[in-house]
Structure formats: C-alpha cells, structure tokens
C-alpha cells in the first residue's frame, strides 16, 4: 500500500449508524487530520441528525462510499456483516477499523486477516478497552515488573440487558473485551479454558458466561460476564507476588494493594483487616476518552502504512480473540452435566485399610486452543449480505 502523505488530510467513512456507530461518527467529525466524508447505513438515519450536525451524507450502499474516495473506513455494522464489508473494502484498497469482534466465526476472521495482509493494508479491531487509561497504566506497571510474577487475572463485566445488541450473545459482545485485555496486559496467550453459559432473557443467544482458563506462562484467568445484573461493573484484578492491581474501567481508576508488611497486633481489628496490612495506593494520571485515543492511533497507523508497533489492535490480534471466544462457546456446548459432590454429613465412614473409589471429575468440558490451519476456507454463501442489515 502506498503511504499516505503526512500533510494531506485522510478521507474517512463510517459503515453502520447504530449506538456504537454514532459514537464513531462523533469522533470522526472532529478528528485532526481527517475529513469525514460519508456514512453508510441501508436503514438510513431515523433521527436525521447526521447530515445536519455532522454535514455528511448518509448513503445506502458501501459502493456509494467507495465512489467518494476514502483512505479508510470504520466498520460498525452488525457482526455477521463484518466479513462481507471488510472484504469489499480490502478489494478496493481501503484500510479498515472494524468493531469488535472482528468477525462472527474464526474462519471469517481468517479470511479478513488474509485479505488485508495480502494487499498490505492496515486493518484494526475496535477493542476500545485497551485504550482505557486505567488498563494502559496497569500494562505499563506490569511490564516494569512492579507486581513481580503474575499469578491470576480476574475480570467481572456485568450490567443490565442491552437492547442495542441482537445479533450475538454476551460472549462475542462483552467477553471479547476481557479476552483481549487479559492477553494484552499480560503479554500471554490462552492455552486452555472451560466455560458455562446460560440464557435467561428468552433470546437465541447466551446472556451469562463464566470462564476459567490458563495462559501460556501458567497464569490462571477467570471471567464472569453477564447482561442480567442491575449492577454495572467493569472490574479487572491482577494478583501477583507483590500484591494486587485493581482496575475499574468505568471510572478509569487503578489501585494497588500491597502484600501485608505490618503485623496487626490489635486482635479485634484483625477480624476485619487480617493479620497484616500493606499500603493501598490509588494512582493519579491523565484520563482521555478511550475512543478518541483509539481513533488517533488508527489514523496514525494509516498514515505510516503499518499496523505493527502502532499501538492499534491488529486484525491478527482480533483473530486470536475470535478463536478464544469460539472456544468458550464450544466448551459451554460440550459441558457434561455437573456431578453432584454430595455432603460430608451423609458420607459413610471408611474402615481402616478399606479402599476408596476415586470421585468422578466435575463434568466441565475443556477447550484446548490450537493454532489455526494455514488454509483459508471459502466464504459461506449462506452468510447474510449487507442488504439484510436490520433496521
């Protein structure tokens, strides 16, 4: 791909005017060095505020945007359409920032990675949590060794049911955030995982998931994600040999709880504080809107002509997250019914020397993650088309 001249404003478009698309439109309209030229949505703009407030046309087809001439486009249409739209952009040498997840299946994600890499185009994925200032600080401090050896990463991402999401479940919509940020802050990949899902909202897709897994260095991970809680929570805790970092990405706060160093001699207080106390520090740092930072990084990557080392989430990284999310769903589908543990009170006493049958393992299927095959399968002709974009 030919590098974009540093002095020329990049021409950018947007595909999809849903809730996230409108946020992207707001940023594109005021992004330095970028000319926002048009929006694509077959459903149009029901509120009519885009042409009036942002001064750009709303077009029915991706082809109409391509006629205007764009250097890159932000893809914020339903997940099932990411592959079709992304391949169309790549075929016309247009870079793309594709909302997470990259695609609806690992096979579709691989085809997208191949299409953009083959033509030397910059392709990124909108895992905006990476740009949250609390997680940026957390990663920097982990890289500096402030926590020592990392033992565990725990995330909780829960809140009320989102009516804006209809095409995927909570794994692809929300858990992909936690999968991506866990690999990113630790610098490690997932090696195995087990998962359970439930669906209580009456829709086709799951609305709650619990995941436990392991990373390449042995770090244990745990994710709890749901759309069923009146409490909105965005919690990430990383525990290591020197204490625990806690990031709240709703408030962009990062707190460090040091391991106990001072003995608590007041016996009554030990019941509340523990036998030893360590320092607790809440860090102060600049807090910019993550979506603005994401757009700035992608703009600069398009200007330089490369995504590697630019700070964006590359399409290949997005592919790995899609693979892990597919493994989560596979594990949940294959999970056998749990084996009752029984109660201690009802257990029969065992005579000395009597053998004891081993307890059957709990019926939780484990998905072992393996590298994807090199071959790129053909696109599924039954996949939905851009014309089927829901209103």
């Amino acid at each position: 791909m030919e590098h974009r001249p540093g002095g020329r404003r990049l021409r950018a478009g947007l595909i999809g005017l849903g809730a996230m698309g409108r946020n992207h439109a707001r940023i594109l309209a005021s992004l330095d060095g970028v000319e926002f030229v048009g929006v694509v949505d077959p459903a149009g703009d029901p509120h009519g505020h885009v042409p009036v407030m942002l001064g750009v046309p709303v077009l029915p087809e991706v082809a109409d945007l391509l006629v205007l001439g764009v250097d890159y486009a932000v893809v914020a249409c339903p997940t099932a359409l990411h592959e079709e739209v992304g391949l169309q952009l790549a075929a016309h040498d247009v870079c793309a920032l594709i909302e997470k997840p990259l695609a609806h299946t690992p096979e579709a994600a691989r085809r997208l990675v191949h299409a953009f890499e083959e033509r030397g185009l910059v392709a990124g994925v909108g895992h905006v949590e990476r740009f949250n200032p609390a997680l940026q600080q957390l990663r920097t401090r982990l890289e500096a060794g402030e926590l020592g050896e990392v033992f565990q990463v725990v995330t909780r991402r829960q809140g009320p049911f989102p009516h804006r999401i209809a095409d995927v479940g909570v794994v692809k919509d929300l858990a992909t955030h936690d999968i991506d940020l866990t690999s990113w802050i630790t610098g490690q990949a997932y090696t195995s995982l087990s998962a359970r899902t439930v669906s209580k909202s009456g829709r086709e897709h799951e609305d709650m998931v619990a995941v436990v897994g392991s990373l390449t260095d042995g770090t244990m991970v745990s994710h709890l994600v749901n759309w069923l809680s009146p409490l909105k929570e965005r919690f990430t805790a990383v525990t290591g040999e020197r204490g625990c970092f806690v990031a709240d990405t709703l408030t962009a706060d990062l707190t460090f709880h040091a391991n106990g160093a001072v003995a608590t001699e007041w016996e009554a207080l030990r019941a509340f504080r523990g036998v030893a106390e360590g320092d607790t520090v809440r860090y102060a740092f600049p807090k910019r809107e993550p979506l603005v930072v994401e757009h700035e990084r992608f703009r600069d990557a398009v200007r330089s002509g490369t995504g590697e080392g630019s700070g964006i989430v590359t399409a290949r990284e997005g592919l790995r997250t899609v693979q892990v999310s597919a493994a989560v769903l596979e594990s949940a589908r294959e999970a056998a019914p749990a084996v009752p543990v029984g109660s201690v009170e009802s257990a029969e006493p065992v005579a000395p020397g009597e053998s004891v049958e081993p307890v059957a393992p709990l019926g939780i299927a484990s998905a072992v993650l393996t590298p994807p095959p090199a071959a790129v399968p053909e696109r599924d002709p039954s996949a939905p088309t851009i014309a089927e974009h829901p209103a």
Side-chain angles (χ1 to χ4, degrees):
M1 181 187 73
E2 181 182 346
H3 289 194
R4 283 24 179 193
R8 180 172 72 82
R9 297 179 75 194
L10 297 174
R11 293 173 63 82
L14 170 66
I15 300 165
L17 260 183
M20 197 64 203
R22 290 193 292 274
N23 279 317
H24 283 296
R26 171 176 58 85
I27 304 300
L28 285 170
S30 59
L31 190 62
D32 287 343
V34 171
E35 181 183 359
F36 187 22
V37 299
V39 178
V40 175
D41 198 310
D45 178 18
H47 305 289
H49 70 283
V50 171
V52 174
M53 297 181 65
L54 305 181
V56 297
V58 179
L59 310 165
E61 300 289 342
V62 175
D64 299 321
L65 179 66
L66 295 173
V67 168
L68 297 179
V70 289
D71 297 299
Y72 74 90
V74 177
V75 179
C77 56
T79 304
L81 302 175
H82 286 186
E83 179 187 7
E84 178 194 352
V85 171
L87 293 179
Q88 189 175 358
L89 294 173
H92 289 81
D93 290 323
V94 176
C95 300
L97 173 59
I98 302 173
E99 258 304 330
K100 59 81 195 162
L102 174 59
H104 62 297
T105 66
E107 294 75 22
R110 280 197 290 271
R111 286 189 285 267
L112 283 170
V113 171
H114 177 75
F116 283 97
E117 289 185 348
E118 183 181 43
R119 302 181 76 91
L121 297 166
V122 176
V125 186
H127 286 289
V128 70
E129 284 283 59
R130 279 206 199 182
F131 305 96
N132 188 288
L135 294 178
Q136 292 268 331
Q137 279 282 319
L138 174 54
R139 183 173 190 259
T140 298
R141 293 179 181 279
L142 290 178
E143 286 182 327
E146 293 185 18
L147 193 61
E149 181 184 355
V150 175
F151 302 150
Q152 182 185 51
V153 179
V154 174
T155 70
R156 296 195 302 269
R157 186 175 299 270
Q158 49 191 349
F161 181 78
H163 295 285
R164 62 183 177 83
I165 300 297
D167 60 328
V168 295
V170 75
V171 171
K172 291 182 179 178
D173 181 58
L174 286 187
T176 47
H177 279 306
D178 297 301
I179 292 166
D180 177 74
L181 75 84
T182 297
S183 285
W184 178 66
I185 62 175
T186 61
Q188 304 294 323
Y190 286 74
T191 56
S192 64
L193 58 84
S194 297
R196 291 284 191 176
T197 59
V198 297
S199 181
K200 298 293 184 180
S201 61
R203 297 193 312 167
E204 173 187 358
H205 303 288
E206 78 289 342
D207 41 38
M208 176 179 282
V209 63
V211 184
V212 294
S214 297
L215 304 181
T216 49
D217 65 350
T219 297
M220 181 169 62
V221 300
S222 171
H223 306 306
L224 177 62
V225 188
N226 76 68
W227 280 331
L228 303 176
S229 171
L231 167 69
K232 188 168 185 179
E233 184 179 33
R234 301 289 184 266
F235 171 92
T236 300
V238 183
T239 303
E241 61 179 325
R242 295 177 185 163
C244 178
F245 281 113
V246 176
D248 182 340
T249 53
L250 285 177
T251 60
D253 286 330
L254 178 66
T255 305
F256 178 62
H257 302 272
N259 285 342
V262 179
T264 303
E265 297 181 11
W266 184 1
E267 189 169 345
L269 193 60
R270 291 168 62 174
F272 299 97
R273 296 280 182 87
V275 297
E277 291 187 79
D279 293 332
T280 296
V281 179
R282 184 170 66 84
Y283 299 103
F285 44 82
K287 297 178 180 180
R288 300 185 65 215
E289 182 182 353
L291 191 61
V292 172
V293 178
E294 180 181 70
H295 271 271
E296 290 174 348
R297 296 278 179 87
F298 190 78
R299 172 204 62 195
D300 295 345
V302 173
R303 278 178 175 164
S304 67
T306 180
E308 296 298 329
S310 64
I312 70 169
V313 184
T314 66
R316 187 160 290 276
E317 290 175 300
L319 165 60
R320 288 196 287 269
T321 297
V322 171
Q323 291 170 330
V324 176
S325 65
V328 168
L329 293 171
E330 178 186 357
S331 174
R333 281 193 301 268
E334 296 181 355
V339 177
V341 176
S343 64
V344 175
E345 292 77 12
S346 63
E348 293 295 327
V350 180
E354 184 179 346
S355 63
V356 180
E357 291 295 324
V359 178
L362 294 180
I364 300 178
S366 177
V368 178
L369 303 174
T370 56
V376 178
E378 294 296 321
R379 182 183 183 277
D380 183 1
S382 65
T385 65
I386 187 69
E388 297 169 345
H389 184 289

Coordinates of all heavy atoms in Angstrom, one line a residue, residues 122-170:
V122 N -3.7 -1.6 6.3 CA -3.8 -1.5 7.7 C -5.2 -1.9 8.1 O -6.2 -1.3 7.6 CB -3.5 -0.1 8.3 CG1 -3.7 -0.1 9.8 CG2 -2.0 0.3 7.9
A123 N -5.4 -2.9 9.0 CA -6.7 -3.3 9.5 C -6.6 -3.4 11.0 O -5.7 -4.0 11.5 CB -7.1 -4.6 8.9
G124 N -7.5 -2.8 11.7 CA -7.5 -2.8 13.2 C -8.9 -3.3 13.7 O -9.9 -3.3 12.9
V125 N -9.0 -3.6 14.9 CA -10.2 -4.1 15.6 C -10.5 -3.1 16.8 O -9.6 -2.8 17.5 CB -10.1 -5.5 16.0 CG1 -11.4 -6.0 16.6 CG2 -9.6 -6.4 14.9
G126 N -11.8 -2.8 16.9 CA -12.2 -1.8 17.9 C -12.3 -2.4 19.3 O -13.4 -2.2 19.9
H127 N -11.2 -3.0 19.8 CA -11.2 -3.4 21.3 C -10.9 -2.1 22.1 O -9.7 -2.0 22.5 CB -10.3 -4.5 21.5 CG -10.8 -5.8 21.0 ND1 -11.8 -6.5 21.6 CD2 -10.4 -6.6 19.9 CE1 -12.0 -7.6 20.9 NE2 -11.2 -7.7 19.9
V128 N -11.8 -1.3 22.3 CA -11.6 0.0 22.9 C -11.1 0.0 24.3 O -10.4 0.9 24.8 CB -12.9 0.9 22.8 CG1 -13.9 0.4 23.7 CG2 -12.6 2.4 23.0
E129 N -11.3 -1.1 25.0 CA -10.8 -1.2 26.4 C -9.3 -1.1 26.5 O -8.8 -0.7 27.5 CB -11.3 -2.5 27.1 CG -12.8 -2.5 27.5 CD -13.0 -1.8 28.8 OE1 -12.8 -0.6 28.8 OE2 -13.6 -2.4 29.7
R130 N -8.6 -1.5 25.5 CA -7.2 -1.4 25.5 C -6.7 0.1 25.7 O -5.6 0.3 26.2 CB -6.5 -1.9 24.2 CG -6.4 -3.4 24.1 CD -5.3 -3.7 23.2 NE -5.3 -5.1 22.7 CZ -4.4 -5.6 21.9 NH1 -3.4 -4.9 21.5 NH2 -4.6 -6.8 21.5
F131 N -7.6 1.0 25.3 CA -7.2 2.4 25.4 C -7.7 3.1 26.6 O -7.6 4.3 26.8 CB -7.7 3.1 24.1 CG -7.1 2.4 22.9 CD1 -7.9 1.5 22.2 CD2 -5.9 2.7 22.4 CE1 -7.4 0.9 21.1 CE2 -5.3 2.1 21.3 CZ -6.1 1.1 20.6
N132 N -8.4 2.3 27.5 CA -8.8 2.9 28.8 C -7.6 3.2 29.6 O -6.7 2.4 29.7 CB -9.7 1.8 29.6 CG -10.3 2.4 30.8 OD1 -9.6 2.7 31.8 ND2 -11.6 2.6 30.7
P133 N -7.5 4.4 30.1 CA -6.3 4.9 30.8 C -5.9 4.0 32.0 O -4.7 3.8 32.3 CB -6.6 6.3 31.3 CG -8.0 6.5 31.1 CD -8.5 5.5 30.1
A134 N -6.9 3.4 32.7 CA -6.6 2.5 33.8 C -5.8 1.3 33.4 O -4.8 0.8 34.0 CB -7.8 2.1 34.6
L135 N -6.3 0.7 32.2 CA -5.6 -0.5 31.7 C -4.3 -0.2 31.1 O -3.3 -1.0 31.1 CB -6.5 -1.2 30.7 CG -7.8 -1.8 31.4 CD1 -8.7 -2.5 30.3 CD2 -7.4 -2.8 32.4
Q136 N -4.2 1.0 30.4 CA -2.9 1.4 29.9 C -1.8 1.5 31.0 O -0.7 1.1 30.9 CB -3.0 2.8 29.2 CG -3.9 2.8 27.9 CD -3.1 2.6 26.7 OE1 -1.9 2.9 26.6 NE2 -3.6 1.9 25.7
Q137 N -2.2 2.1 32.2 CA -1.4 2.2 33.3 C -1.0 0.9 33.9 O 0.1 0.6 34.2 CB -2.0 3.1 34.4 CG -2.0 4.6 34.2 CD -0.6 5.1 34.6 OE1 0.0 4.7 35.6 NE2 -0.1 6.0 33.8
L138 N -2.0 0.0 34.0 CA -1.8 -1.3 34.5 C -0.8 -2.1 33.7 O 0.1 -2.7 34.2 CB -3.1 -2.1 34.6 CG -3.1 -3.6 35.0 CD1 -2.4 -3.8 36.3 CD2 -4.5 -4.1 35.0
R139 N -0.9 -2.1 32.4 CA 0.0 -2.8 31.5 C 1.4 -2.2 31.7 O 2.4 -3.0 31.7 CB -0.4 -2.7 30.0 CG 0.5 -3.5 29.1 CD -0.1 -3.5 27.7 NE 0.6 -4.4 26.8 CZ 1.5 -4.1 25.9 NH1 1.8 -2.8 25.8 NH2 2.0 -5.0 25.1
T140 N 1.6 -0.9 31.7 CA 2.9 -0.3 31.9 C 3.5 -0.8 33.1 O 4.8 -1.1 33.2 CB 2.8 1.2 31.8 OG1 2.2 1.6 30.6 CG2 4.1 1.9 32.1
R141 N 2.8 -0.8 34.2 CA 3.3 -1.2 35.5 C 3.7 -2.7 35.6 O 4.6 -3.1 36.2 CB 2.4 -0.8 36.6 CG 2.3 0.7 36.8 CD 1.3 1.1 37.9 NE 1.2 2.6 37.9 CZ 2.1 3.4 38.5 NH1 3.1 2.8 39.2 NH2 2.0 4.7 38.5
L142 N 2.9 -3.5 34.9 CA 3.2 -5.0 34.8 C 4.5 -5.2 34.0 O 5.3 -6.0 34.4 CB 2.0 -5.7 34.2 CG 0.8 -5.9 35.0 CD1 -0.3 -6.6 34.3 CD2 1.0 -6.6 36.4
E143 N 4.6 -4.4 32.9 CA 5.8 -4.6 32.1 C 7.0 -4.1 32.9 O 8.1 -4.7 32.6 CB 5.7 -3.7 30.8 CG 4.7 -4.3 29.8 CD 4.7 -3.5 28.5 OE1 4.8 -2.2 28.7 OE2 4.5 -4.0 27.4
A144 N 6.9 -3.2 33.8 CA 8.0 -2.7 34.6 C 8.3 -3.6 35.7 O 9.3 -3.4 36.5 CB 7.7 -1.3 35.1
G145 N 7.5 -4.7 35.9 CA 7.8 -5.7 36.9 C 7.4 -5.3 38.3 O 7.8 -5.8 39.3
E146 N 6.5 -4.3 38.4 CA 6.1 -3.8 39.7 C 5.3 -4.8 40.6 O 5.3 -4.7 41.8 CB 5.2 -2.5 39.6 CG 6.0 -1.3 39.0 CD 5.2 -0.1 39.0 OE1 4.2 0.0 39.7 OE2 5.6 0.9 38.3
L147 N 4.7 -5.8 39.9 CA 3.9 -6.8 40.6 C 4.7 -8.1 40.8 O 4.3 -8.9 41.6 CB 2.6 -7.1 39.8 CG 1.6 -7.9 40.6 CD1 1.1 -7.2 41.8 CD2 0.4 -8.2 39.6
G148 N 5.9 -8.2 40.1 CA 6.6 -9.4 40.2 C 5.9 -10.5 39.3 O 5.3 -10.2 38.3
E149 N 6.0 -11.7 39.7 CA 5.4 -12.8 39.0 C 3.9 -12.7 39.1 O 3.3 -12.4 40.2 CB 5.8 -14.2 39.5 CG 5.2 -15.3 38.8 CD 5.5 -16.7 39.4 OE1 6.3 -16.7 40.4 OE2 4.9 -17.7 38.9
V150 N 3.2 -12.8 38.0 CA 1.7 -12.7 37.9 C 1.1 -14.1 38.2 O 1.5 -15.1 37.5 CB 1.2 -12.1 36.6 CG1 -0.3 -12.2 36.5 CG2 1.7 -10.7 36.4
F151 N 0.2 -14.2 39.1 CA -0.5 -15.4 39.4 C -1.8 -15.6 38.8 O -2.2 -16.7 38.3 CB -0.7 -15.6 40.9 CG 0.6 -15.5 41.7 CD1 0.6 -14.9 43.0 CD2 1.8 -15.9 41.2 CE1 1.7 -14.8 43.8 CE2 3.0 -15.8 42.0 CZ 2.9 -15.3 43.3
Q152 N -2.6 -14.5 38.8 CA -4.0 -14.7 38.4 C -4.6 -13.3 37.8 O -4.2 -12.3 38.3 CB -4.8 -15.1 39.6 CG -6.3 -15.3 39.3 CD -7.1 -15.6 40.6 OE1 -7.0 -14.8 41.6 NE2 -7.9 -16.6 40.6
V153 N -5.4 -13.5 36.8 CA -6.2 -12.3 36.3 C -7.7 -12.6 36.4 O -8.1 -13.7 36.0 CB -5.9 -12.0 34.8 CG1 -6.7 -10.8 34.3 CG2 -4.4 -11.8 34.6
V154 N -8.4 -11.8 37.1 CA -9.9 -12.0 37.3 C -10.6 -10.8 36.7 O -10.2 -9.6 37.0 CB -10.2 -12.1 38.8 CG1 -11.7 -12.1 39.0 CG2 -9.6 -13.3 39.4
T155 N -11.6 -11.0 35.9 CA -12.4 -9.9 35.4 C -13.9 -10.2 35.7 O -14.4 -11.3 35.7 CB -12.2 -9.7 33.9 OG1 -12.8 -10.8 33.2 CG2 -10.8 -9.6 33.5
R156 N -14.6 -9.1 35.9 CA -16.1 -9.1 36.0 C -16.6 -8.0 35.2 O -16.2 -6.8 35.3 CB -16.6 -8.9 37.5 CG -16.1 -10.1 38.4 CD -16.9 -10.0 39.7 NE -16.8 -8.8 40.4 CZ -15.8 -8.5 41.3 NH1 -14.9 -9.4 41.6 NH2 -15.8 -7.3 41.9
R157 N -17.5 -8.4 34.3 CA -18.1 -7.4 33.3 C -19.6 -7.7 33.3 O -20.1 -8.6 32.6 CB -17.5 -7.5 32.0 CG -17.9 -6.4 30.9 CD -17.2 -6.6 29.6 NE -15.7 -6.4 29.9 CZ -15.1 -5.3 29.8 NH1 -15.7 -4.2 29.5 NH2 -13.8 -5.2 30.1
Q158 N -20.4 -6.9 34.1 CA -21.8 -7.2 34.2 C -22.6 -6.0 34.2 O -22.1 -4.9 34.6 CB -22.1 -8.1 35.4 CG -21.5 -7.7 36.7 CD -21.6 -8.7 37.8 OE1 -22.3 -9.7 37.6 NE2 -20.9 -8.5 38.9
G159 N -23.9 -6.1 33.8 CA -24.8 -4.9 33.8 C -26.1 -5.3 33.2 O -26.4 -6.5 32.9
P160 N -27.0 -4.3 33.1 CA -28.3 -4.6 32.6 C -28.4 -5.0 31.1 O -27.4 -4.8 30.4 CB -29.0 -3.2 32.7 CG -28.2 -2.4 33.7 CD -26.8 -2.9 33.5
F161 N -29.5 -5.6 30.7 CA -29.7 -6.1 29.4 C -29.6 -5.0 28.4 O -30.3 -4.0 28.5 CB -31.0 -6.8 29.3 CG -31.3 -7.4 28.0 CD1 -30.8 -8.6 27.6 CD2 -32.2 -6.7 27.1 CE1 -31.1 -9.2 26.4 CE2 -32.5 -7.3 25.9 CZ -31.9 -8.5 25.5
P162 N -28.8 -5.1 27.3 CA -28.6 -4.0 26.3 C -29.6 -4.3 25.1 O -29.3 -5.2 24.4 CB -27.2 -4.1 25.9 CG -26.9 -5.6 26.1 CD -27.7 -6.1 27.1
H163 N -30.6 -3.5 24.9 CA -31.5 -3.7 23.8 C -30.8 -3.4 22.4 O -31.4 -3.8 21.4 CB -32.7 -2.9 24.0 CG -33.5 -3.3 25.2 ND1 -34.3 -4.4 25.2 CD2 -33.6 -2.7 26.4 CE1 -34.9 -4.5 26.4 NE2 -34.5 -3.5 27.1
R164 N -29.7 -2.8 22.4 CA -29.0 -2.5 21.2 C -28.4 -3.7 20.5 O -28.1 -3.7 19.3 CB -27.9 -1.4 21.4 CG -26.8 -1.9 22.3 CD -25.7 -0.9 22.7 NE -24.8 -1.4 23.6 CZ -23.7 -2.1 23.3 NH1 -23.6 -2.5 22.0 NH2 -22.9 -2.6 24.2
I165 N -28.2 -4.8 21.3 CA -27.5 -6.0 20.7 C -28.5 -7.0 20.4 O -29.3 -7.5 21.3 CB -26.4 -6.5 21.7 CG1 -25.4 -5.4 22.0 CG2 -25.8 -7.8 21.2 CD1 -24.6 -5.0 20.8
A166 N -28.5 -7.5 19.2 CA -29.5 -8.5 18.8 C -28.9 -9.7 18.0 O -29.5 -10.8 17.9 CB -30.6 -7.9 18.0
D167 N -27.7 -9.5 17.5 CA -27.1 -10.5 16.6 C -26.1 -11.4 17.2 O -25.8 -12.5 16.6 CB -26.4 -9.8 15.4 CG -25.3 -8.9 15.8 OD1 -25.4 -8.3 16.9 OD2 -24.3 -8.7 15.0
V168 N -25.6 -11.1 18.4 CA -24.7 -12.0 19.1 C -25.0 -12.1 20.6 O -25.8 -11.3 21.1 CB -23.2 -11.6 18.9 CG1 -22.8 -11.6 17.5 CG2 -23.0 -10.1 19.5
G169 N -24.4 -13.1 21.3 CA -24.6 -13.2 22.7 C -23.6 -12.4 23.5 O -22.7 -11.7 22.9
V170 N -23.6 -12.7 24.8 CA -22.7 -11.9 25.7 C -21.2 -12.3 25.5 O -20.3 -11.5 25.8 CB -23.1 -12.1 27.2 CG1 -22.7 -13.5 27.7 CG2 -22.6 -11.1 28.1

